[in-house]
Amino acid sequence: MHIFVDESGQFIPLDGVKSRAAAALALVVSSSSQGALRREFRKLKPSLGSPGRELKGSTLSETQAARIIDLLAKYDVIVEAVVLDAGAHSSQEVTKFKHGQAERLMAHITRDHQASLIQDLISVQENMKGLSNQLFLQIFAIWQLIPRVLETATMYYSQRRPAELGLFVWRVDAKDAQITTMEELWTWLIGPLITGKSEVSPWGMLPGADYSYLERFDFDNPPEGVPVVTDRHYTDLKKVLREDFSFAPSERDLGLQLADMIASILTRALNGTLQKAGWESLGRLFVRRPQRTVRVIALSWPAPESESSEVENPRWISVIQRVEEFAKPMLTSRSLKLADEHGG
């Protein structure tokens, strides 16, 4: 599967002066449909007024946004997003949260865990504390996004196209001059954060689904110091995240252009700068989850990491509810039957 990662919105604290959505988003396209999607997108671009240049999501009209959603829905892509209200927080609140999260990294780690993992997390703690608040918010959203998209995509494709689990192709928007900084962050921060998170909270897996293609990423034995758990798969996340990974300028990658457009459509819907006609069917690209299909993060300390904020903004509520209504089911009829046979 091909996973395109981008962000939309400004991750700058505004001391509660105004509500402003910022999002990290992943667009997952199956390898079997990627070529056809790219060809159709190239054909569509001239009718959107952009035959030879990059079309940015921030400039889409309602009609153009709806056509992009329709195009992606034809190819059964998966979209996952993590949203936070950057404007609702002060710099002091973000700093407190940042330091709290850094300290929390070691909360579930003991001396029995792999020595290299412990050393990585100690280093990550210090590096995280040194990030600017704006960059920390961006990294924190990505940190929450990646395990979520891996779980959703592997569950979804294991029932429909299991061969997609045999390779994870990652493309991340280079953001021009920021590419060096982001490359470093993916190497020494995001990767270790996700690996550490997976030790505490493994991916969910569906009984009866076909995970055979994922086995090439399995460890023969659990990492050093990690107790053996029956039926637990120990996945080499470093290989999953780094085997085929690169930064790319979005103007040269149609997948990243589409990810940018969907991320912009979502944040513009939440921020009220795109009318309903443009975003109304956005949920067709999401897979419905039992606890909020669009993850919304609240920065509060102390608070359980897994909690989402209670959305109070009426516009946000209406957008998220509409996404939920249109989202596609995770389980196939076969999986539902198996669940019924095994008592849910």
Side-chain angles (χ1 to χ4, degrees), residues 187-303:
T187 299
W188 58 254
L189 184 56
I190 295 176
L193 279 173
I194 294 168
T195 302
K197 184 180 177 73
S198 72
E199 293 295 339
V200 178
S201 179
W203 301 349
M205 302 183 79
L206 294 173
D210 184 355
Y211 289 94
S212 59
Y213 288 88
L214 191 62
E215 291 175 0
R216 62 181 295 265
F217 297 101
D218 284 355
F219 286 115
D220 292 333
N221 298 297
E224 177 187 347
V226 176
V228 175
V229 178
T230 304
D231 296 329
R232 163 87 188 270
H233 286 257
Y234 296 90
T235 304
D236 185 351
L237 273 177
K238 290 183 179 179
K239 187 174 181 180
V240 169
L241 294 170
R242 300 297 299 181
E243 183 178 43
D244 195 335
F245 173 95
S246 67
F247 286 91
S250 57
E251 65 268 17
R252 299 179 187 175
D253 192 299
L254 296 180
L256 285 172
Q257 290 180 35
L258 288 165
D260 167 81
M261 284 185 258
I262 296 303
S264 292
I265 290 169
L266 176 60
T267 54
R268 289 175 63 192
L270 294 170
N271 290 327
T273 58
L274 185 69
Q275 298 304 307
K276 192 173 183 179
W279 61 262
E280 185 172 19
S281 63
L282 181 61
R284 296 161 64 195
L285 311 182
F286 285 79
V287 177
R288 189 177 298 110
R289 295 178 65 105
Q291 295 183 343
R292 190 163 292 161
T293 299
V294 179
R295 174 83 189 277
V296 181
I297 293 176
L299 302 187
S300 58
W301 188 261

Side-chain angles (χ1 to χ4, degrees), residues 31-61:
S31 298
S32 57
S33 62
Q34 189 192 198
L37 172 59
R38 288 176 181 269
R39 287 191 294 273
E40 190 163 350
F41 181 42
R42 288 192 187 96
K43 293 178 182 177
L44 178 63
K45 286 183 71 176
S47 67
L48 300 178
S50 179
R53 61 181 178 82
E54 180 182 4
L55 184 65
K56 302 296 289 184
S58 58
T59 65
L60 292 175
S61 68

